Amino acid sequence: MLGRGLRVLGHAIRTEPRLFTIGTIGSSLFGLLIIANSYVVGWVIGDIVVPAFAEHRVSTGQLALVAAVFLGISGLRVASIFGRRLGAGFMQFRMQARYRGAVTRRYLSLPPAWHQRHATGTLLSNANSDVEAAWGPIAPLPFAVGTIVMLLGALISLFATDWVLALVGATLFPGLFGLNLVYSRRMSPRQIRVQQTRAKVSAVAHESFDGALVVKTMGREADESRRFGVFVDELRDSLIAVGRLRGLFDPLMDSLPSLGTLAILLLGAWRLRTGAVEVADVVSVAFLFTVLAFPVRAIGWVVAELPRSVAGWDRVQAVLGAEGDLAYGEGTLSGTGPAELRFDRVSYRYAGGPEVLRNVSFTVPAGRVVALVGATGSGKSTIASLAVRLVDPESGTISLDGVKLPDLALSALAGAAAVVPQIPFVFDDTVRGNIALDRPGVDEDAVRAALSLAQADRFVAGLPDGLDTAVGERGTSLSGGQRQRLTLARALAGEPRLLVLDDATSAVDPRVEAAILGALRGADAGASILVVAYRRATIALADEVVYLERGRVVATGTHAGLMASHAGYRDLVTAYEKAERQ
Amino acid sequence: MSDQGTLATVRRGLALSPELRTGLGGTIVLAVLQMAGRVAIPIAVQQGIDHGIRAAGGPHLGVVARIVAFTLGALLISTLCGYLMTRRLFTVSETALAGLRARTFRHLHDLSMLHQQSERRGSTVSRVTSDVDQISQFLQTGGVQLLLASGQLLVSAAVMFVYSWQLALVVLVAFGPAVGVVRLFQKRLRAVYQASRERTGVMLGAIAESVVGATVIRAYGVAGRTQARLDTSIERLRLAQQDALRTSVTSFSSGEIGAGLALAGVVVVGTLLGVDGELTVGQLTAFLFLVTLFIQPVQIATDMLNEAQNAVAGWRRILDVLDVEPDVADPDDRGVPLPEGPLSVRFADVSFRYPGGPIVLSGVDLSLAARKKYAVVGETGSGKSTFAKLLTRLMDPVGGEVSLSGTPLTSVRFSSLRSRVVMVPQDGFLFDATIAENIRFAEPTLTDARLRAAFTELGLADWLAGLAEGLETPVGERGEALSVGERQLVALVRAYVADPDLLVLDEATSAVDPATETRLQHALDLVTRGRTTVAIAHRLSTAEAADEVIVVDAGRVVQRGPHAVLVAEEGSIYAKLYASWLEQTRG
Ligand SMILES: Nc1ncnc2c1ncn2[C@@H]1O[C@H](COP(=O)(O)OP(=O)(O)OP(=O)(O)O)[C@@H](O)[C@H]1O
Ligand SMILES: Nc1ncnc2c1ncn2[C@@H]1O[C@H](COP(=O)(O)OP(=O)(O)OP(=O)(O)O)[C@@H](O)[C@H]1O
Ligand SMILES: [Mg+2]
Ligand SMILES: [Mg+2]
């Protein structure tokens, strides 16, 4: 643990050598000044105070010198504190920022399949508290390094003073180290437990607040509080366990240097008698032990933080080293206008689950509208995700204008194909930002045209700041249908060559839908469209219907043809009329 | 409110967590005892030097040994007291903070800010996580230190005055400017810590968005834009942290300068005093030790006061939440239960606006009879969901009154209201658990057999049978391991097993295929006969099947009546809506 922890720290030092050097120099200076201070005190007592008291007089020059020395040391110490604290702190903040950037970069490049396997709460704590934990020991690190320098300096000066008194230091300092080690070893499992429990508390809070509406409508606030309470109590207990250990070690740690001072007094008296040392020496050494007490703790802080640091580092590394990226090719699509989408014997399963698509084959010819029809859970959304390569099939190929999707560059693919997901996702941004997404070529005119095509222009005009109205986190200040229209406009604004609508027009008037499809189909600058729909009107607009049952394409053809030939299809799309007749 | 001073916040916080004061007297006594032990060291040094080392006729070992032995005893007692004190303090403070955490969590659920999202979620969560952690962390490290430091400060100051009041005064004067500087910096510190807390919230929000919206970000190839935003928020947090550190170090170093002044002053004045014979060498030496003992806590205290600002910033954020009265409050004991039997509804001139927004519902005046089935239809954004939330008292109207069976909603006890009135919201939320657990959320005592029966009654037995793990199928975060339609099915069963007298469905089956939907509707009709149902739907099949239809347009109820009657009103909004529905379903 210690070795791994130090390696993690070594990595930080190599990354930020400049700040580390500043911090360490500051801290070493600080430590040496502490030693110097003790000797100055000894010198003042022995060489100035004792003679002055004996002779009952003192010169102003001497007093001025003493004052100047103390103030000088104090000034240097202030400088050293700035160096140590700012060096260490800035280094820590930089490392945190650097790794937060790296982790989030990874999040953005890992594919949706990976995201599905990891809870939002966990990913949040990876980027936040795990990064924080990994670089936790940096703050006291230069201080600790400085302390080691100081202890070495202290030992040397002790031996220079008197070997007997030095022996006290030689026993005491390793003792302090040892105690620190024992402490950190005992502490680390407790700290890890605290960290884990914290994550659980945060996950429950996240989820519970996410589902607040359901909690409230069902009146389960008390039960949710109980559920939360279990983890809160667990956290309380593990924090108390940490506190107890700290309560045991802290006073021990405090009293060790005091023991040293007492030993010096006793041994000093003996050495004085033998004439080996002078009063000033005893005073200096005793003073040294008193002021050592605090800095020595810094080593303990670093050591105590190491287990947490390693745990955090491992979790961060798990993200940084995660595999399964979708590799993108270099390919681009030639030509303009609608692109053809082709599924060829595509099968798919979600991680560890049963096969949800089997041997799915169909084509959306350039400029045509194909409707994807199937019962709830039959695999329509899965096909939509595959069509824009949010996931890759288990087997089979999907191609756009004859180019296999994996051969296309991400920018080429994203520029050519747009999907409107079944559940609209709205960014915490303005209406304009949500639609344009800073894509080149999506200017003010394109935004306005898309809004009016999606029939969102009227409600947007009614918003307090129009296009520049902020819509809130996930678009909460909008109604469900308004969010859907916004995401529809987003897709339209990019003038895609393939448009995939996953039940994305349920809240849109059918006339509007007809207008959208009409505006896109056929025209030179239009798009091929794959639309998931139940409405007969939408389906009737389609040139072809692909009918899906439990992940298989069971029939393809025109609406009229399928109505005539396929009973399952007929039952599905005429359900309303049937219900009415009954 | 959040600009409140530190002391005021602490006082407010202590009033809200009286547990924090449990056994405080004993803890303080122990702390003082521990401190007394620390002061024993300089006294031992003084006694040792004056009576042992510099004893007439050379160092006297026996005297020194006796002094050392005595001090050793004092040290032992002090260490023991230190242990007992920390133990007590941690137990009490962690218990109190756990209570605070739980209370805040519950309070947040009672506020409508959660579902109205007047605050970003990450920030709300941090109020029961990192804000409390901040206080706990401070109490575990800084709090003890601060307590000990103040104790040490007092004791060493007292002993200093005993040794030499002149020198003690010198020390106090030397620290005077430092105290001023620290005070001066407190306000600025509060601001910089607040800024860094806020920026943490912003960063967490940005990360959460990039994770939740990962698919959309990829589909539109806009990772660069998202990353730029993330980088900005990360960088802004770093700058705030650096700012806070710089400020706190500056404030801290003023104590350091005070220490230098004190040491210099004590030596100069002490020597002058000693020259006049008013002080022995031992006394001056002890005094120098005492000054160190005094300096240490001053340094620790300035440092910990900085930390304290951070903790107080967290505390303040919690108290600010606890101070908000629930806008939609449970009348509790003062309330009444709903009358027995099926519920009728009355909206009396109801109007509503979201905080800071325009009026979205106005002059809604209508009665719904018990046991009937109502459909609410209207354009997107017309106010249907708002109507449903008022009906179930998730929000209170800004004007007018809603009542159920003659009882004003505001006077109905929540225990009665929530068990008899249930809504399936537009975006049905599932917890990251199994299907069974999600349904038991409504009715924890439900047996597996009853659960299965519920699926069968709603005609969903086939669907359930098709799942490899059946009731034990995990639904994933927010239900994302199910298809959207399947999520709605589970949410519907969940509401159904709650067995309410008034069931409000807000687009509860909007993603379910027509065949399943009509089957479900049919089954629901059978099992919900006898209760009042209000269903919001874009699909007018729901309206056709309802006893009466309510048409909402731009925040007003413009039409109501049976489907057949409304369709016949030529040129009416409903007639148009229905014509278009026919067109789309019969195409
Ligand atoms: N993330 C996932 N993990 C595991 N299984 C999943 C996941 N997403 C979907 N499924 C399963 O895959 C099947 C197909 O789901 P899909 O979302 O494609 O259906 P759909 O046809 O879009 O249904 P709906 O009409 O309800 O939207 C369903 O049985 C569903 O339970
Ligand atoms: N939390 C909110 N804050 C501010 N405004 C809101 C909020 N929720 C809804 N609104 C606004 O109130 C109006 C009515 O919204 P509501 O959700 O009631 O519409 P709806 O009829 O349910 O629409 P839909 O059919 O799209 O679900 C809309 O203009 C919407 O923008
Ligand atoms: Mg779907
Ligand atoms: Mg709605």
Side-chain angles (χ1 to χ4, degrees):
Chain A
M1 184 57 82
L2 201 62
R4 291 199 56 211
L6 291 179
R7 260 200 300 285
V8 174
L9 282 182
H11 177 72
I13 294 171
R14 276 194 302 282
T15 317
E16 294 288 348
R18 210 173 52 94
L19 287 173
F20 177 74
T21 313
I22 293 177
T24 310
I25 289 179
S27 172
S28 309
L29 182 62
F30 182 79
L32 295 176
L33 285 170
I34 284 185
I35 300 172
N37 203 42
S38 308
Y39 279 87
V40 167
V41 168
W43 162 69
V44 167
I45 298 285
D47 290 1
I48 295 179
V49 172
V50 173
F53 281 27
E55 294 164 24
H56 292 287
R57 68 186 173 80
V58 63
S59 80
T60 329
Q62 273 179 321
L63 285 183
L65 176 67
V66 170
V69 169
F70 275 118
L71 290 180
I73 288 183
S74 172
L76 280 176
R77 209 139 67 165
V78 167
S80 76
I81 287 175
F82 267 93
R84 157 165 73 85
R85 289 257 185 134
L86 295 188
F90 285 18
M91 175 175 172
Q92 185 183 29
F93 300 149
R94 261 172 201 260
M95 289 306 285
Q96 285 176 357
R98 188 185 295 267
Y99 273 79
R100 284 191 174 127
V103 167
T104 50
R105 218 159 238 114
R106 206 67 205 108
Y107 288 166
L108 288 174
S109 69
L110 282 162
W114 184 87
H115 278 276
Q116 259 164 20
R117 291 196 303 272
H118 295 85
T120 311
T122 314
L123 298 189
L124 269 179
S125 80
N126 284 158
N128 187 37
S129 68
D130 286 335
V131 168
E132 220 163 78
W135 305 123
I138 292 184
L141 179 65
F143 197 5
V145 174
T147 305
I148 291 174
V149 171
M150 177 179 82
L151 288 182
L152 286 179
L155 262 185
I156 292 171
S157 68
L158 278 176
F159 275 104
T161 310
D162 178 55
W163 68 271
V164 176
L165 298 188
L167 279 187
V168 176
T171 356
L172 190 66
F173 297 165
L176 283 172
F177 272 117
L179 197 59
N180 265 319
L181 276 185
V182 173
Y183 178 45
S184 77
R185 195 156 297 155
R186 300 277 307 271
M187 191 55 121
S188 83
R190 295 174 194 227
Q191 283 286 17
I192 289 173
R193 207 178 122 217
V194 166
Q195 199 65 6
Q196 284 165 343
T197 320
R198 279 216 173 105
K200 277 190 253 171
V201 166
S202 144
V204 172
H206 253 287
E207 189 183 40
S208 187
F209 291 164
D210 230 6
L213 198 57
V214 172
V215 172
K216 196 156 253 187
T217 50
M218 301 246 158
R220 310 306 296 181
E221 292 97 334
D223 304 74
E224 280 299 280
S225 302
R226 256 195 299 282
R227 184 162 82 103
F228 184 66
V230 171
F231 294 105
V232 167
D233 289 349
E234 197 182 320
L235 181 59
R236 176 199 61 202
D237 293 343
S238 50
L239 280 170
I240 289 179
V242 164
R244 289 201 168 162
L245 192 62
R246 185 173 281 155
L248 183 63
F249 273 84
D250 275 5
L252 274 182
M253 217 75 125
D254 273 350
S255 53
L256 267 189
S258 298
L259 280 182
T261 310
L262 290 180
I264 292 295
L265 213 53
L266 202 57
L267 291 172
W270 169 58
R271 296 297 283 170
L272 264 173
R273 243 161 84 115
T274 60
V277 296
E278 289 168 36
V279 176
D281 296 329
V282 180
V283 172
S284 304
V285 175
F287 194 82
L288 185 60
F289 279 102
T290 316
V291 293
L292 272 183
F294 190 65
V296 162
R297 305 281 292 277
I299 300 172
W301 295 334
V302 172
V303 178
E305 285 276 326
L306 284 183
R308 236 187 93 205
S309 158
V310 170
W313 174 251
D314 284 347
R315 290 163 62 121
V316 168
Q317 282 304 319
V319 173
L320 296 181
E323 292 181 5
D325 285 58
L326 292 178
Y328 289 91
E330 302 281 302
T332 51
L333 288 175
S334 53
T336 52
E340 177 201 77
L341 171 73
R342 183 192 290 274
F343 269 59
D344 188 20
R345 279 168 292 134
V346 169
S347 299
Y348 185 78
R349 71 172 80 235
Y350 289 96
E355 204 164 46
V356 295
L357 290 182
R358 163 167 295 184
N359 279 335
V360 169
S361 300
F362 66 90
T363 305
V364 183
R368 297 303 173 88
V369 179
V370 170
L372 196 55
V373 180
T376 290
S378 56
K380 304 178 295 296
S381 298
T382 309
I383 290 182
S385 308
L386 286 162
V388 295
R389 202 174 175 226
L390 289 173
V391 289
D392 274 336
E394 190 174 55
S395 62
T397 54
I398 303 162
S399 51
L400 199 57
D401 255 1
V403 185
K404 287 182 186 148
L405 292 190
D407 294 338
L408 281 174
L410 174 58
S411 56
L413 180 59
V419 64
V420 184
Q422 198 167 7
I423 295 190
F425 182 84
V426 175
F427 292 96
D428 186 2
D429 199 345
T430 59
V431 172
R432 185 200 310 275
N434 260 294
I435 292 171
L437 294 178
D438 294 341
R439 286 174 288 179
V442 183
D443 54 13
E444 170 97 16
D445 289 342
V447 169
R448 288 194 186 280
L451 276 172
S452 90
L453 193 53
Q455 272 229 338
D457 48 348
R458 231 185 53 216
F459 92 79
V460 169
L463 293 172
D465 297 317
L467 273 181
D468 293 309
T469 310
V471 295
E473 196 175 29
R474 296 190 212 162
T476 359
S477 66
L478 302 175
S479 84
Q482 290 168 341
R483 282 199 288 273
Q484 195 177 60
R485 290 183 188 195
L486 212 59
T487 50
L488 195 55
R490 177 191 295 155
L492 296 172
E495 297 186 348
R497 299 170 62 185
L498 168 71
L499 182 62
V500 180
L501 302 173
D502 186 0
D503 201 14
T505 47
S506 59
V508 177
D509 196 84
R511 267 179 248 258
V512 180
E513 188 180 26
I516 294 170
L517 298 186
L520 292 176
R521 75 193 304 185
D524 287 340
S528 317
I529 299 173
L530 179 63
V531 56
V532 174
Y534 297 122
R535 291 179 184 167
R536 293 260 298 269
T538 316
I539 299 171
L541 286 173
D543 300 295
E544 194 175 46
V545 176
V546 173
Y547 178 58
L548 213 58
E549 257 177 24
R550 293 182 176 273
R552 291 162 194 261
V553 176
V554 291
T556 327
T558 61
H559 170 59
L562 288 186
M563 283 291 275
S565 68
H566 206 285
Y569 177 78
R570 199 164 47 234
D571 285 347
L572 189 71
V573 296
T574 60
Y576 293 134
E577 292 155 65
K578 262 219 215 101
E580 199 182 332
R581 276 200 299 278
Q582 277 165 7
Chain B
M1 184 188 294
S2 45
D3 208 40
Q4 217 170 26
T6 308
L7 267 181
T9 306
V10 172
R11 217 172 293 133
R12 205 151 56 102
L14 283 177
L16 269 166
S17 302
E19 311 96 297
L20 272 176
R21 285 194 221 148
T22 323
L24 191 61
T27 311
I28 289 180
V29 168
L30 286 171
V32 169
L33 283 177
Q34 185 188 2
M35 268 7 306
R38 280 196 191 173
V39 182
I41 297 293
I43 298 179
V45 171
Q46 179 259 324
Q47 296 284 333
I49 290 182
D50 280 358
H51 301 299
I53 291 179
R54 285 169 52 84
H60 194 302
L61 269 182
V63 172
V64 175
R66 230 174 303 132
I67 292 171
V68 167
F70 182 78
T71 317
L72 217 54
L75 202 60
L76 202 70
I77 294 174
S78 146
T79 308
L80 189 69
C81 289
Y83 171 60
L84 293 176
M85 188 271 299
T86 356
R87 239 185 106 126
R88 278 174 77 107
L89 193 68
F90 287 157
T91 313
V92 167
S93 63
E94 286 307 332
T95 310
L97 288 180
L100 186 65
R101 220 189 272 265
R103 193 133 33 97
T104 311
F105 177 86
R106 174 58 207 253
H107 193 79
L108 280 166
H109 264 300
D110 289 340
L111 297 178
S112 48
M113 65 190 275
L114 274 188
H115 57 89
Q116 286 191 357
Q117 289 230 336
S118 35
E119 181 179 68
R120 291 191 170 81
R121 186 139 306 150
S123 183
T124 311
V125 171
S126 75
R127 292 185 199 252
V128 292
T129 55
S130 66
D131 285 342
V132 184
D133 290 343
Q134 210 67 245
I135 307 174
S136 142
Q137 216 147 357
F138 168 70
L139 287 179
Q140 286 236 352
T141 52
V144 182
Q145 304 255 22
L146 202 58
L147 193 64
L148 291 181
S150 344
Q152 186 167 339
L153 210 64
L154 286 179
V155 176
S156 53
V159 178
M160 281 197 309
F161 270 99
V162 170
Y163 269 93
S164 159
W165 62 267
Q166 299 97 323
L167 290 186
L169 276 184
V170 169
V171 173
L172 290 191
V173 169
F175 275 105
V179 172
V181 171
V182 168
R183 282 183 67 103
L184 210 71
F185 267 87
Q186 290 300 298
K187 210 181 158 106
R188 167 139 178 75
L189 269 172
R190 205 185 318 152
V192 289
Y193 278 122
Q194 191 121 350
S196 93
R197 316 243 69 219
E198 275 159 19
R199 289 181 187 186
T200 307
V202 172
M203 179 193 74
L204 285 177
I207 298 176
E209 185 172 88
S210 76
V211 168
V212 177
T215 45
V216 174
I217 292 166
R218 173 166 302 244
Y220 285 86
V222 289
R225 168 187 203 261
T226 312
Q227 189 67 56
R229 294 185 164 212
L230 282 167
D231 286 345
T232 311
S233 69
I234 291 170
E235 194 57 17
R236 277 175 55 86
L237 171 61
R238 184 177 76 87
L239 292 177
Q241 286 172 323
Q242 294 195 351
D243 202 19
L245 183 67
R246 215 178 290 118
T247 313
S248 97
V249 173
T250 312
S251 142
F252 176 75
S253 59
S254 67
E256 194 57 45
I257 293 175
L261 280 176
L263 269 179
V266 163
V267 172
V268 171
V269 177
T271 313
L272 289 174
L273 286 173
V275 168
D276 292 345
E278 285 187 37
L279 214 61
T280 65
V281 172
Q283 279 171 330
L284 182 55
T285 314
F287 209 93
L288 285 179
F289 277 71
L290 278 171
V291 172
T292 325
L293 276 186
F294 185 81
I295 290 171
Q296 265 181 5
V298 169
Q299 288 172 336
I300 294 173
T302 36
D303 214 15
M304 289 310 147
L305 274 179
N306 297 343
E307 290 283 306
Q309 281 303 343
N310 205 357
V312 169
W315 213 355
R316 199 178 290 126
R317 277 167 52 83
I318 297 167
L319 297 176
D320 283 353
V321 161
L322 287 177
D323 274 354
V324 180
E325 287 289 323
D327 40 355
V328 182
D330 184 357
D332 222 356
D333 294 340
R334 284 171 290 115
V336 292
L338 283 170
E340 287 301 311
L343 296 167
S344 64
V345 177
R346 164 122 193 89
F347 270 62
D349 194 24
V350 168
S351 57
F352 184 80
R353 68 162 88 234
Y354 287 94
I359 290 274
V360 294
L361 270 189
S362 59
V364 176
D365 217 7
L366 87 172
S367 317
L368 308 182
R371 294 173 208 276
K372 288 265 168 73
K373 248 179 77 180
Y374 293 89
V376 179
V377 303
E379 267 210 53
T380 179
S382 55
K384 304 181 294 295
S385 298
T386 308
F387 172 80
K389 288 187 218 158
L390 292 172
L391 176 56
T392 50
R393 198 163 179 234
L394 288 170
M395 318 184 293
D396 281 334
V398 294
E401 188 181 64
V402 183
S403 45
L404 292 184
S405 289
T407 314
L409 264 185
T410 45
S411 67
V412 179
R413 215 176 276 163
F414 273 16
S415 56
S416 168
L417 179 68
R418 299 297 181 218
S419 63
R420 311 239 341 250
V421 177
V422 164
M423 167 163 97
V424 181
Q426 195 160 3
D427 12 50
F429 177 90
L430 299 186
F431 291 88
D432 188 2
T434 64
I435 291 180
E437 284 165 326
N438 266 288
I439 291 171
R440 286 213 178 89
F441 186 76
E443 192 53 66
T445 56
L446 220 56
T447 60
D448 270 9
R450 259 304 292 143
L451 251 170
R452 256 178 253 285
F455 275 92
T456 311
E457 282 156 23
L458 290 179
L460 298 172
D462 282 350
W463 173 69
L464 190 62
L467 296 172
E469 293 169 82
L471 282 175
E472 299 310 315
T473 307
V475 304
E477 221 187 340
R478 286 182 291 270
E480 277 160 12
L482 294 180
S483 87
V484 180
E486 291 168 336
R487 276 173 238 174
Q488 292 193 331
L489 297 182
V490 176
L492 199 72
V493 177
R494 179 168 63 190
Y496 169 62
V497 300
D499 192 23
D501 289 304
L502 170 61
L503 180 62
V504 182
L505 305 170
D506 189 357
E507 310 264 2
T509 51
S510 60
V512 175
D513 71 68
T516 310
E517 192 191 18
T518 47
R519 250 187 295 130
L520 200 57
Q521 200 117 81
H522 191 64
L524 261 179
D525 277 354
L526 286 179
V527 293
T528 59
R529 192 162 291 158
R531 55 188 102 181
T532 318
T533 312
V534 175
I536 297 170
H538 274 103
R539 298 181 179 176
L540 293 199
S541 51
T542 309
E544 289 173 71
D547 295 318
E548 261 192 72
V549 181
I550 295 160
V551 185
V552 184
D553 190 51
R556 294 181 172 275
V557 173
V558 291
Q559 268 183 297
R560 71 167 287 180
H563 165 75
V565 177
L566 295 192
V567 177
E569 291 176 11
E570 224 158 295
S572 71
I573 293 188
Y574 188 73
K576 281 188 208 148
L577 277 173
Y578 190 69
S580 118
W581 163 252
L582 276 186
E583 194 183 311
Q584 56 181 291
T585 48
R586 312 294 144 88

